[in-house]
Amino acid sequence: MQVLTSGKVGPAGFTPLAGAGAAAKASKDGDRMLTDLSMYTYPPSENITLEEFERLALARLSVLKDMEAFKLRHPNKSEKELMDKLKQLKQKHMKGLAGVSASNHEEEVRNDLISHYVLRLAYCRTAELRKWFLAQECDMFRLKFGTYNPAEHEAFLAAHAPQYRPVAEKELLEVMDDIVKVMKSNLETKETLMRAQQDKRFYKVSWTRVPELVAQRKVLLRGGWAYVSRDALAPLVVAEFRAGVSKGLSDMARRWRQMFPVEEEQRLQPLVASLTSRSLTADYSGVTTKYGDVSAANLHHLAVRHFPLCMSHLMGTLHSERHLRHGGRQQLGLFLKAIGLPMEEALLFWRSEFAPRTPSDQFDKQYAYNIRHNYGREGKRTDYTAHNCTTIVGFSGGLGDHHGCPYRRLDETSLRAALSRLHCDDGKVEEAVSKARDGHYQLACAAAFEGIHRVPELDVGISAPLQYYAESRRICTERDLTSAGTMAATGGAAEGTDIGEQPGGTAGAGGVGDQPGGRGIKRPASGLPGSLR
Amino acid sequence: MADVNKRQKIDQDSGGEVGPLGSAEPEIYVQEAMPSYYAKLFPHQHMAKWLAYGNDGKHAQADSHFFNRREFCFTLDGDIFVRYQAFKDGTALQEAIQRRCPAKIDIGPVYTANPQDRHKFGASFQPTERELVFDIDLTDYDDVRTCGSGGHICGKCWPLMAVAVKIIDAGLRNDFGFKHILWVYSGRRGVHCWVCDPSARQLTDEQRAAVANWFALYKGHEEGKARIAFLGGGAMHPAVDRAVEVLHTAWVETILPAQRLLEDGPKCEALLRYLPEQTLVENIKKKWASRSVISRTDQDINLVRWGVLEAEVNSRLTEERSRSKGAGSYKVVGPLERCIPEIIIAHAYPRLDMEVSKKMNHLLKAPFCVHPKTGKVCVPLDPTRVDEFDPDDVPTVGSLLRELAAAKNGGGKGDSSAVVEADGGGRKAEPWRETKMANAVQIFERCLLDDLVITNRDELTERTRVAVAIGQLNLDF
């Protein structure tokens, strides 16, 4: 009893006159690498360090996610602008990874290939992940392919998609009349007709690759070859790219077990699994040291000014109801820890908030242990990290729960009310509400941030409440310094005339941000205290 | 167990229909003759050679289990369907056929595993290979033929099949590049086509549907007229153009006069509805009634009338075009230009049964089966001689057995042994060669088997080359 495994020779391998067999393809390695656009048909085969593995993947993920966010916020950008943004993002995230600052084309291509495949690993497991990854990659491919000129198209096709063969001039003369008839019979416009006739670049491909065109008689067929114009080519190539990546993803998902031999289970597998949920922004652990002034006393003040809506909403509810359910306590509690609230202060804070409804000994019995556990002082003593946006958006809750992402949970009226309470600019409130309606919760939060702090566009998206807080504090600190600096300057020369000394502005917290007020005045300006600024 | 009683769509027409005198036999007789037919007449070796596709030899790359993964379906006497039959090789198939004497044999796809083991594989039991097939049936032309309907077939409506064969055969070869194409008379009222190229056998359902749609122009009826699926933006697709040329010749030479479509009657009225202008229709009718037309005796009246119709349309076209600088208003000129091709296409262009072609797992009757109602053998057709085929003169199981008896009695050559040796022994031990079956088998060889054998060899050579290349590169898949 014999079984044919799924490695059947599909039609793709059967272009009857294609010529190049499997052996020939593999030897095209050298040519393949030279174009910076790829169909990703062949996985990379080299050894790299775990570190590079991770770094490349995260870099590409940043590019994809930033590109997505950019497109969402600016739906009407032209192709050129999108392409520029893409280049910029690549520059930012993926250059200089190997420590090579000069743009080494081969390095780029290699990094591109490796990062694509690592992300395939990470994003192949569920249908939703696959769909997202596929969409982003296809968009990127389509964008890049669309900006190629004819010569580049030809080079790319010759290297990566040899199934599309350019039609030689002599042959074209024979078939041109028929091609024109085909286009006319499909009601193509005069412009398209003229463009095709002038462009004179046609490709032929095995009809099995374009069944949808054959079914509608949109192409000329001769001996099994379908003739397509260069314009018609792009969607076909993109479709093939999509099909290839999609198949690769499902194959990977199916063979997941085989991907990881036993020894990798502890090493690679968790790494890959974590890639999808990783926060892509910088680590915000420095926050606690930078803004080390968090205490139970000024929490409310901080909440109003610096907390993202999810946390300020929780704070508000906590304060009005003198109680929070478990989900809310966890979400807020971990956040407070992350921003630098010491454990003793935390205990104080929670106890006082709960006090009217919960007597002290009951508090100790029911809630104190949990708080201490969060800080790693009980049980297995894990240092829990605060949740990021993705996780928070995913929280589900019933009636009476206030955790989760308010842009998702709250109805529009409450949302508007909450945002205006935080003195958010009206226009931005509307923007946030509409973004929330469309399901782009993090973008809504970013819009709210812009509205509250009156800053122009936030370049980086919000991916964690901690990030929101850090940004908020940073901006406010900068602002304080600027205004303090101005004040210091106008406040007379008394402060800064000592040679060599840096006149500080008002005691800015730490050495953060610019110090515009701190001008090193080496010599006392003759007579002028510098007030004329 | 479920297989035995699974019903496939059976053609339901008036049972016990007897065709033109003598060429059909009563059903009961046909079934009784089947054992002798399978013993002495059915070309088992040829069928096995075909379906093995080269895997029956000793070549290193030959897949010895290939034949075993092919599904056969037997329809036993009493309309009992037995699906998922599979056989180790041609000999086993022959034994089974001779033992069970199926009224009909269907051929299905080649699966990933032996169909008899399908329950062990669950979802991974899938079809992997299957010829590209077409089924054209005269019943689908009932609205445009006057000589009969339903299971009727005669020399007057056969031209419709002939032209369908010609058009599709040309399309398959020129447009798609297929080479190994077998046309078979379906036994009663239509034809089947089997495309056996290796690339054709590997087509996905989507690709099969694409081929079927490439040939599909007729998209059902609307307001008494057929809907033709071409947009006609000033030009027709070259493939359609070519088809119309072939059609036009056949239309004028055979179909129109044979079907008498322009003689007074409902069919004529229906045809006239394709003309875009009522005044045009009236002019034509007037001219038809004129003395000069009625008195013509040199030509069939249908052709005379058609000539008038064409002339009228053309003169109207010229008139309209000269109106505004040679081009004329497109809204008027367009329909005028299209109406004649439309008429011809609507009445004669091939009407495929799309469902048969689209799915890899569709069962289709095997060549050389005997039609249970008519006794006619499903003989292969030569597409270059399809016009000469006479559906009334197809060998029947009765006529063949009579021929056999005559040959035996007539002393003839060689021993009159009635048993066909398993591997065909000497040619003299194959009694069917004394009968009209020999012609049929010859067509089978000429149109399909001879070239196929060469391609099969090339396939095996290619497989060897790939295997060597893989071995050299040390790739593990």
Side-chain angles (χ1 to χ4, degrees):
Chain A
M1 170 181 70
Q2 191 206 37
V3 175
L4 263 191
T5 58
S6 56
K8 74 172 183 185
V9 180
F14 245 106
T15 44
L17 312 161
K25 262 195 177 169
S27 69
K28 274 195 167 190
D29 231 285
D31 315 344
R32 246 199 308 127
M33 300 297 268
L34 289 180
T35 52
D36 63 2
L37 192 60
S38 170
M39 300 279 263
Y40 304 116
T41 355
Y42 300 102
S45 53
E46 51 173 288
N47 297 326
I48 60 172
T49 65
L50 204 57
E51 196 189 31
E52 197 178 0
F53 184 90
E54 188 179 355
R55 214 169 20 160
L56 282 173
L58 286 177
R60 192 188 190 87
L61 196 54
S62 304
V63 173
L64 290 181
K65 288 210 164 166
D66 284 354
M67 201 61 200
E68 183 190 22
F70 183 76
K71 275 184 290 190
L72 277 173
R73 306 171 106 207
H74 307 276
N76 295 322
K77 289 283 184 186
S78 75
E79 239 186 51
K80 182 169 183 314
E81 291 172 315
L82 288 173
M83 195 62 207
D84 287 339
K85 179 74 184 175
L86 183 61
K87 285 203 184 109
Q88 179 211 2
L89 284 174
K90 283 192 134 177
Q91 188 76 29
K92 178 171 162 198
H93 292 285
M94 292 193 69
K95 285 265 166 54
L97 275 182
V100 181
S101 51
S103 135
N104 184 339
H105 192 62
E106 265 187 46
E107 279 292 325
E108 265 182 59
V109 172
R110 168 188 172 270
N111 291 347
D112 181 57
L113 186 61
I114 295 178
S115 57
H116 173 89
Y117 267 90
V118 177
L119 282 189
R120 267 206 208 182
L121 266 181
Y123 278 82
C124 68
R125 301 216 71 185
T126 79
E128 207 183 303
L129 288 175
R130 288 198 289 268
K131 190 165 144 200
W132 182 85
F133 181 66
L134 197 58
Q136 300 310 313
E137 288 282 339
C138 284
D139 269 355
M140 203 161 76
F141 183 89
R142 191 182 306 125
L143 190 61
K144 286 198 273 185
F145 192 76
T147 57
Y148 272 18
N149 66 37
E152 289 171 324
H153 271 148
E154 224 169 287
F156 172 76
L157 290 171
H160 292 263
Q163 60 268 27
Y164 293 94
R165 301 183 171 189
V167 177
E169 262 208 57
K170 211 170 76 148
E171 192 183 343
L172 195 58
L173 282 172
E174 289 172 41
V175 298
M176 198 61 198
D177 282 340
D178 273 352
I179 291 183
V180 170
K181 267 202 216 162
V182 172
M183 295 180 92
K184 278 195 185 162
S185 78
N186 279 294
L187 301 177
E188 297 279 3
T189 60
K190 279 216 187 85
E191 294 81 38
T192 328
L193 270 167
M194 277 187 52
R195 234 204 344 259
Q197 284 173 292
Q198 282 165 352
D199 188 11
K200 280 204 189 319
R201 276 186 208 247
F202 279 81
Y203 291 87
K204 62 181 182 182
V205 62
S206 165
W207 76 268
T208 48
R209 289 189 184 262
V210 289
E212 66 290 348
L213 293 180
V214 169
Q216 297 175 54
R217 279 190 297 274
K218 287 201 160 161
V219 283
L220 176 68
L221 276 192
R222 274 204 187 186
W225 293 104
Y227 290 79
V228 288
S229 66
R230 200 169 64 88
D231 286 337
L233 198 57
L236 295 176
V237 179
V238 175
E240 274 213 39
F241 175 81
R242 186 190 191 90
V245 177
S246 173
K247 181 162 188 304
L249 282 172
S250 18
D251 279 349
M252 237 183 221
R254 250 183 316 123
R255 290 162 42 217
W256 185 252
R257 292 255 172 72
Q258 296 156 260
M259 292 263 122
F260 294 102
V262 183
E263 58 265 21
E264 292 298 355
E265 248 174 70
Q266 292 310 310
R267 195 171 75 125
L268 269 184
Q269 201 165 341
L271 178 63
V272 167
S274 74
L275 277 173
T276 55
S277 53
R278 192 80 70 87
S279 162
L280 289 176
T281 51
D283 190 12
Y284 284 98
S285 57
V287 167
T288 51
T289 45
K290 270 192 211 156
Y291 309 107
D293 57 350
V294 183
S295 72
N298 62 4
L299 264 186
H300 283 288
H301 173 71
L302 285 173
V304 171
R305 285 195 78 195
H306 300 294
F307 280 14
L309 189 62
C310 49
M311 300 305 171
S312 63
H313 178 65
L314 281 170
M315 290 287 288
T317 322
L318 173 62
H319 197 66
S320 57
E321 294 186 15
R322 294 308 191 175
H323 189 268
L324 265 189
R325 286 206 187 166
H326 180 261
R329 291 202 303 275
Q330 283 298 99
Q331 183 173 315
L332 185 57
L334 285 174
F335 176 74
L336 294 177
K337 173 170 99 116
I339 66 175
L341 186 69
M343 191 181 79
E344 293 68 29
E345 297 286 323
L347 281 167
L348 247 174
F349 169 69
W350 287 100
R351 194 191 298 275
S352 64
E353 289 293 326
F354 273 51
R357 276 179 62 177
T358 320
S360 187
D361 48 322
Q362 191 189 352
F363 178 85
D364 281 332
K365 215 168 25 168
Q366 289 188 306
Y367 304 109
Y369 180 88
N370 212 358
I371 297 173
R372 296 168 58 82
H373 190 98
N374 282 348
Y375 277 85
R377 308 290 175 83
E378 300 283 356
K380 63 175 178 171
R381 295 173 199 260
T382 322
D383 185 19
Y384 292 100
T385 47
H387 299 295
N388 60 22
C389 285
T390 328
T391 329
I392 291 180
V393 166
F395 281 157
S396 58
L399 197 59
D401 279 320
H402 294 276
H403 59 278
C405 180
Y407 296 101
R408 182 178 173 197
R409 300 250 159 259
L410 293 180
D411 60 282
E412 290 189 16
T413 345
S414 322
L415 198 53
R416 283 207 186 88
L419 285 174
S420 7
R421 265 202 298 277
L422 293 173
H423 309 292
C424 182
D425 178 52
D426 281 337
K428 286 295 177 177
V429 173
E430 279 316 305
E431 192 185 324
V433 169
S434 82
K435 289 255 160 65
R437 205 182 302 137
D438 291 334
H440 306 304
Y441 310 117
Q442 285 161 261
L443 294 179
C445 195
F449 183 97
E450 291 160 18
I452 294 175
H453 291 289
R454 310 293 196 280
V455 290
E457 189 180 319
L458 208 58
D459 195 37
V460 189
I462 303 282
S463 62
L466 192 54
Q467 180 194 7
Y468 183 110
Y469 172 83
E471 283 295 311
S472 172
R473 292 221 62 174
R474 183 179 67 83
I475 288 186
C476 292
T477 321
E478 272 174 33
R479 286 218 183 114
D480 289 343
L481 279 175
T482 328
S483 54
T486 329
M487 281 204 327
T490 51
E495 280 179 60
T497 47
D498 294 326
I499 297 173
E501 227 178 81
Q502 293 272 30
T506 47
V512 175
D514 310 329
Q515 301 198 45
R519 215 133 298 166
I521 303 175
K522 298 281 168 39
R523 297 153 54 87
S526 47
L528 291 170
S531 60
L532 302 175
R533 198 159 302 126
Chain B
M1 244 115 46
D3 311 327
V4 178
N5 291 318
K6 230 190 267 214
R7 288 262 182 275
Q8 213 182 1
K9 183 180 130 198
I10 318 167
D11 46 35
Q12 304 280 350
D13 65 334
S14 46
E17 195 182 290
V18 180
L21 308 155
S23 61
E25 281 112 6
E27 233 172 294
I28 212 81
Y29 177 69
V30 171
Q31 194 47 40
E32 279 175 7
M34 294 316 285
S36 311
Y37 179 76
Y38 286 126
K40 304 179 201 170
L41 291 162
F42 186 86
H44 296 278
Q45 268 90 312
H46 285 78
M47 291 291 283
K49 192 109 201 96
W50 166 34
L51 294 173
Y53 286 109
N55 287 299
D56 52 349
K58 295 250 190 308
H59 196 280
Q61 291 297 318
D63 181 355
S64 54
H65 297 275
F66 180 83
F67 196 90
N68 213 349
R69 298 202 302 273
R70 167 84 70 170
E71 177 191 356
F72 293 90
C73 173
F74 288 174
T75 307
L76 305 176
D77 194 24
D79 277 340
I80 303 171
F81 284 102
V82 191
R83 278 198 69 175
Y84 299 110
Q85 299 299 290
F87 307 98
K88 192 166 65 108
D89 53 25
T91 318
L93 175 64
Q94 179 177 348
E95 276 169 13
I97 292 177
Q98 287 174 332
R99 189 167 25 96
R100 308 184 79 169
C101 293
K104 183 170 79 140
I105 303 171
D106 290 288
I107 301 179
V110 177
Y111 285 94
T112 45
N114 185 332
Q116 289 175 333
D117 295 331
R118 65 191 178 283
H119 299 297
K120 300 186 192 161
F121 293 99
S124 62
F125 177 74
Q126 296 289 332
T128 52
E129 267 194 38
R130 194 326 188 229
E131 294 75 8
L132 175 62
V133 293
F134 298 97
D135 180 358
I136 309 175
D137 202 333
L138 270 170
T139 333
D140 293 333
Y141 292 77
D142 280 352
D143 61 302
V144 291
R145 57 176 179 155
T146 55
C147 55
S149 66
H152 165 85
I153 185 169
C154 67
K156 298 202 200 108
C157 47
W158 175 253
L160 287 167
M161 292 289 98
V163 82
V165 169
K166 279 189 267 190
I167 290 177
I168 297 192
D169 191 72
L172 287 172
R173 284 177 208 275
N174 298 333
D175 297 335
F176 290 94
F178 292 127
K179 295 202 212 59
H180 304 291
I181 303 174
L182 176 72
W183 289 95
V184 184
Y185 173 58
S186 76
R188 188 150 60 127
R189 62 196 187 193
V191 291
H192 295 160
C193 176
W194 298 76
V195 185
C196 306
D197 293 51
S199 59
R201 304 200 303 266
Q202 310 248 342
L203 294 177
T204 63
D205 285 359
E206 191 195 354
Q207 289 159 336
R208 287 161 204 264
V211 181
N213 278 305
W214 174 265
F215 289 113
L217 276 180
Y218 172 76
K219 301 262 165 149
H221 262 75
E222 199 180 73
E223 296 165 22
K225 276 176 29 174
R227 281 195 322 130
I228 306 299
F230 65 174
L231 308 165
M236 285 196 291
H237 192 286
V240 177
D241 243 342
R242 265 180 281 126
V244 170
E245 259 182 60
V246 175
L247 274 180
H248 195 272
T249 321
W251 174 255
V252 166
E253 281 178 10
T254 34
I255 297 175
L256 179 56
Q259 291 297 325
R260 300 158 68 180
L261 291 163
L262 284 180
E263 291 179 24
D264 293 331
K267 293 278 191 280
C268 180
E269 293 303 315
L271 195 151
L272 287 171
R273 263 190 243 126
Y274 285 90
L275 296 171
E277 293 170 5
Q278 196 50 33
T279 45
L280 191 54
V281 176
E282 281 160 23
N283 284 345
I284 291 173
K285 282 194 168 168
K286 246 193 296 191
K287 288 231 165 91
W288 282 354
S290 76
R291 190 148 273 274
S292 57
V293 168
I294 294 185
S295 60
R296 294 257 319 249
T297 49
D298 58 322
Q299 218 185 13
D300 180 294
I301 182 72
N302 291 284
L303 290 173
V304 176
R305 286 190 168 189
W306 178 254
V308 169
L309 190 149
E310 270 191 319
E312 277 304 303
V313 172
N314 284 333
S315 76
R316 181 82 190 83
L317 256 176
T318 330
E319 182 195 329
E320 190 56 37
R321 281 196 184 122
S322 64
R323 279 252 173 99
S324 37
K325 298 171 206 152
S329 147
Y330 190 72
K331 271 208 186 143
V332 179
V333 169
L336 281 171
E337 279 180 341
R338 280 203 297 275
C339 63
I340 298 212
E342 224 180 340
I343 291 174
I344 300 179
I345 291 177
H347 284 78
Y349 187 87
R351 300 182 181 188
L352 300 171
D353 184 343
M354 305 288 286
E355 288 311 307
V356 170
S357 309
K358 279 188 192 174
K359 294 252 159 195
M360 229 196 213
N361 57 9
H362 194 104
L363 296 169
L364 191 63
K365 184 160 68 175
F368 299 109
C369 278
V370 173
H371 196 286
K373 293 197 167 37
T374 62
K376 289 186 188 170
V377 176
C378 302
V379 290
L381 303 167
D382 185 340
T384 58
R385 307 235 189 92
V386 70
D387 287 321
E388 298 152 27
F389 183 81
D390 181 1
D392 294 329
D393 193 26
V394 178
T396 64
V397 68
S399 74
L400 288 171
L401 287 173
R402 283 194 289 274
E403 274 187 282
L404 270 184
K408 193 159 99 178
N409 295 341
K413 338 160 181 143
D415 41 310
S416 41
S417 141
V419 174
V420 178
E421 286 172 33
D423 62 352
R427 289 185 77 98
K428 292 176 183 167
E430 289 174 330
W432 55 262
R433 293 194 184 266
E434 313 285 326
T435 69
K436 289 230 186 89
M437 182 61 92
N439 299 348
V441 173
Q442 205 185 39
I443 297 179
F444 185 73
E445 286 171 341
R446 192 174 66 233
C447 293
L448 181 66
L449 216 46
D450 292 344
D451 291 330
L452 194 56
V453 164
I454 300 176
T455 302
N456 291 338
R457 257 208 306 273
D458 292 342
E459 276 292 293
L460 288 172
T461 313
E462 176 66 16
R463 274 190 231 169
T464 313
R465 201 187 64 81
V466 172
V468 167
I470 291 179
Q472 281 177 348
L473 290 173
N474 247 344
L475 299 168
D476 46 321
F477 282 102

